[in-house]
């Protein structure tokens, strides 16, 4: 694959860790992304295999294709079926005080994977990255990392199998040794080709990719994985993070490590329409975990793009366009009941259910979800954060 094509940038759309846009405000073409990035579509047979191996129903994000692409996920399932283990790695770039629902998607899914496979998990808080890209101070980046950690912990992760770390606090020792090994394998031309850096980007950005790469390697965490250097890693993430791990997978065999596997999600759309992913710079484009029930009601009613018709008469006659309707898309993420979702789609698509009824259902689902999250977050004290971030063995790592 030519390096120029690896950035996810073409005439129609741009998809990379810092920018997700489609031409003329259109939809992201995920089939084109799969072809360009060189990953694979997640087939139904793999979803069924997950259910068979774990003995539990597939997560709603798997059943409904939210996580739609992968790299070597089948090999991770092979490892598990042989009675061997793997570990999970995901992360968060802490650039805002509170998370929106799109930020929660990978953590909700990662919790399911941890529970289903009973495997250890490392969560990277890239406070150094956000300091460099968002022009935040070191102190502010570190503070936001701890605040975001509280929202992550509130998702319900098992502390006996979870290590959360911030780069500013943890980088050093074996982790830094692996960073140097990766850095020596990646030329300037290669990093420009993968990430689209220019001569105007400061050297901190150019040197950052190894930092996000090396949590894929178990030897970066000797206090957890000592003597398990061949342990496979599975990374649940949104597909915009793929460039980091294409680089990592290219380098890994050259420095004696296993390639990480990935399972990748589509983007959670903005309230105003499916034109990429939500923007933290526009508070009305997203539902935040700090929003009140009143906020949620107002945002959904005012901003959630509707596929309904311009009059009740036309709606009854033609029905809703479910392809562009944001309330239906949000319900597809968060309404657990498959039968209820199918009923809404059928009735709304036929014009027998009105936009206001669908939005009312969505408001109820989101208000309950955010309220539940807020209650869980209120229990996450600074002491709890310290416990998750303490450098320690994980006693139930593989039990």
């Amino acid at each position: 694959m030519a390096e120029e094509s690896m950035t996810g940038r073409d005439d129609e759309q741009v998809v990379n860790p810092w920018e997700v846009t489609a031409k003329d405000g259109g939809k992201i073409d995920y089939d084109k992304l799969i072809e360009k990035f060189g990953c694979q579509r997640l087939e139904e047979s793999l979803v069924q295999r997950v259910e068979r191996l774990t003995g539990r129903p597939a997560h709603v994000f798997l059943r409904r294709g939210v996580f739609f692409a992968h790299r070597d996920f089948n090999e991770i399932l092979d490892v598990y079926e042989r009675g061997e283990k793997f570990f999970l790695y995901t992360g968060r770039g802490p650039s805002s005080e509170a998370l929106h629902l799109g930020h929660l998607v990978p953590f909700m899914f990662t919790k399911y994977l941890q529970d289903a496979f009973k495997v250890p998990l490392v969560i990277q808080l890239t406070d150094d990255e956000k300091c460099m890209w968002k022009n935040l101070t070191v102190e502010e980046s570190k503070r936001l990392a701890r605040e975001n950690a509280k929202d992550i912990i509130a998702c319900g992760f098992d502390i006996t199998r979870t290590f959360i770390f911030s780069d500013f606090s943890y980088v050093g020792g074996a982790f830094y040794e692996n960073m140097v090994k990766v850095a020596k394998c990646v030329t300037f031309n290669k990093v420009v080709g993968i990430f689209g850096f220019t001569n105007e980007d400061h050297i901190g950005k150019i040197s950052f990719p190894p930092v996000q790469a090396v949590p894929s390697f178990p030897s970066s965490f000797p206090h957890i994985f000592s003597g398990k250097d061949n342990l496979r890693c599975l990374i649940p993430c949104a597909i915009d993070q793929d460039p980091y791990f294409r680089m990592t997978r290219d380098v890994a065999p050259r420095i004696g490590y296993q390639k990480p596997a990935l399972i990748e999600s589509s983007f959670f759309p903005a309230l105003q329409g499916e034109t990429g992913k939500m923007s933290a710079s526009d508070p009305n484009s997203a539902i935040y975990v700090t929003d009140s029930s009143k906020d949620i009601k107002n945002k959904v009613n005012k901003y959630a793009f509707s596929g309904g018709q311009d009059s009740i008469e036309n709606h009854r006659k033609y029905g809703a366009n479910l392809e562009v309707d944001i309330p239906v898309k949000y319900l597809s993420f968060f309404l657990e009941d498959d039968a209820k979702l199918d009923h809404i789609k059928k009735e709304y698509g036929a014009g027998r259910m009105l936009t206001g009824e669908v939005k009312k259902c969505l408001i109820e689902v989101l208000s309950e979800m955010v309220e539940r999250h807020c209650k869980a977050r209120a229990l996450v004290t600074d002491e709890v954060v310290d416990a998750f971030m303490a450098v320690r063995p994980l006693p139930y790592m593989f039990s």
Side-chain angles (χ1 to χ4, degrees):
M1 181 182 298
E3 288 177 358
E4 287 75 17
S5 70
M6 294 178 72
T7 62
R9 180 182 293 271
D10 57 32
D11 292 337
E12 300 297 324
Q13 59 188 9
V14 179
V15 176
N16 61 44
W18 312 285
E19 184 181 0
V20 177
T21 56
K23 186 178 181 180
D24 299 326
K27 293 171 62 175
I28 295 297
D29 186 333
Y30 290 106
D31 289 328
K32 182 180 288 188
L33 266 189
I34 286 176
E35 179 182 355
K36 184 169 291 291
F37 284 178
C39 47
Q40 297 174 281
R41 182 161 290 277
L42 190 67
E43 302 291 347
E44 177 62 27
S45 59
L46 282 178
V47 178
Q48 294 173 357
R49 191 177 177 201
V50 169
E51 293 187 321
R52 178 172 59 81
L53 290 176
T54 63
R56 63 172 66 197
H59 193 278
V60 64
F61 294 162
L62 273 181
R63 298 201 305 270
R64 297 177 188 159
V66 173
F67 280 79
F68 72 102
H70 74 100
R71 293 179 183 273
D72 294 345
F73 184 51
N74 53 310
E75 293 184 14
I76 292 293
L77 297 182
D78 290 344
V79 165
Y80 186 78
E81 193 163 24
R82 290 196 301 265
E84 303 170 18
K85 293 292 184 178
F86 60 93
F87 76 100
L88 297 164
Y89 155 41
T90 194
R92 160 78 185 142
S95 59
S96 59
E97 192 82 30
L99 307 188
H100 60 55
L101 297 188
H103 294 143
L104 283 186
V105 166
F107 294 109
M108 294 169 67
F109 186 62
T110 300
K111 182 194 182 307
Y112 156 80
L113 292 173
Q114 183 183 61
D115 292 345
F117 291 99
K118 295 181 172 56
V119 289
L121 161 68
V122 295
I123 299 175
Q124 180 181 40
L125 301 174
T126 55
D127 44 8
D128 52 345
E129 177 196 24
K130 294 308 174 185
C131 178
M132 291 187 284
W133 262 270
K134 297 293 185 179
N135 200 27
L136 299 171
T137 65
V138 170
E139 293 74 22
E140 179 67 358
S141 298
K142 291 171 71 173
R143 187 188 71 80
L144 291 176
R146 286 187 65 86
E147 289 302 307
N148 285 189
K150 294 176 182 178
D151 279 313
I152 293 167
I153 292 166
C155 292
F157 292 106
D158 180 353
I159 192 171
T160 66
R161 293 191 177 97
T162 305
F163 174 52
I164 300 175
F165 67 99
S166 81
D167 290 341
F168 276 135
S169 299
Y170 185 74
V171 172
F175 194 99
Y176 184 66
E177 289 174 16
N178 279 337
M179 283 171 49
V180 171
K181 290 178 184 177
V182 170
K184 289 178 68 177
C185 292
V186 182
T187 65
F188 176 74
N189 284 341
K190 174 74 93 173
V191 85
V192 167
I194 295 174
F195 297 102
F197 295 137
T198 71
N199 289 337
E200 303 306 311
D201 284 306
H202 60 68
I203 61 174
K205 291 183 178 181
I206 296 162
S207 65
F208 176 76
V211 186
Q212 189 158 323
V214 301
S216 310
F217 308 143
S219 63
S220 297
F221 307 98
H223 65 283
I224 304 174
F225 302 121
S226 178
K228 299 182 184 296
D229 288 0
N230 285 321
L231 200 64
R232 289 297 298 264
C233 173
L234 173 64
I235 305 169
C237 62
I239 198 166
D240 60 335
Q241 299 300 303
D242 191 85
Y244 279 118
F245 302 114
R246 291 203 302 280
M247 182 199 75
T248 307
R249 285 167 55 84
D250 177 62
V251 168
R254 296 158 61 188
I255 57 176
Y257 295 132
Q258 298 267 22
K259 293 182 179 182
L262 282 84
I263 183 165
E264 301 176 314
S265 74
S266 56
F267 304 116
F268 191 67
L271 283 166
Q272 288 85 349
E274 194 174 18
T275 58
K277 62 179 182 178
M278 288 193 207
S279 170
S281 62
D282 180 4
N284 291 323
S285 74
I287 303 294
Y288 285 82
V289 295
T290 51
D291 284 343
S292 67
S293 294
K294 183 179 179 180
D295 292 332
I296 293 169
K297 181 178 180 180
N298 289 340
K299 285 185 177 182
V300 170
N301 284 331
K302 186 174 182 180
Y303 298 109
F305 187 84
S306 169
Q309 301 299 328
D310 56 2
S311 69
I312 292 179
E313 180 183 1
N314 283 339
H315 187 79
R316 296 296 191 197
K317 184 176 180 180
Y318 299 111
N321 180 355
L322 303 184
E323 286 299 309
V324 301
D325 192 89
I326 288 299
V328 165
K329 291 187 182 297
Y330 277 29
L331 287 170
S332 296
F333 274 77
F334 298 126
L335 179 59
E336 292 278 350
D337 190 326
D338 290 338
K340 187 173 181 180
L341 179 64
D342 289 343
H343 174 77
I344 290 171
K345 287 182 174 180
K346 180 180 178 182
E347 295 299 298
Y348 189 39
R352 291 186 291 271
M353 180 178 279
L354 299 176
T355 297
E357 297 174 85
V358 178
K359 286 189 173 183
K360 182 174 183 292
C361 180
L362 176 62
I363 291 164
E364 291 172 356
V365 169
L366 296 185
S367 295
E368 180 184 339
M369 176 183 165
V370 170
E371 182 181 3
R372 186 169 61 246
H373 180 87
C374 287
K375 288 181 178 177
R377 192 190 192 280
L379 300 176
V380 182
T381 63
D382 285 330
E383 289 74 21
V384 171
V385 175
D386 290 341
F388 270 91
M389 298 183 76
V391 177
R392 71 208 189 279
L394 299 181
Y396 299 105
M397 186 170 68
F398 295 115
S399 60

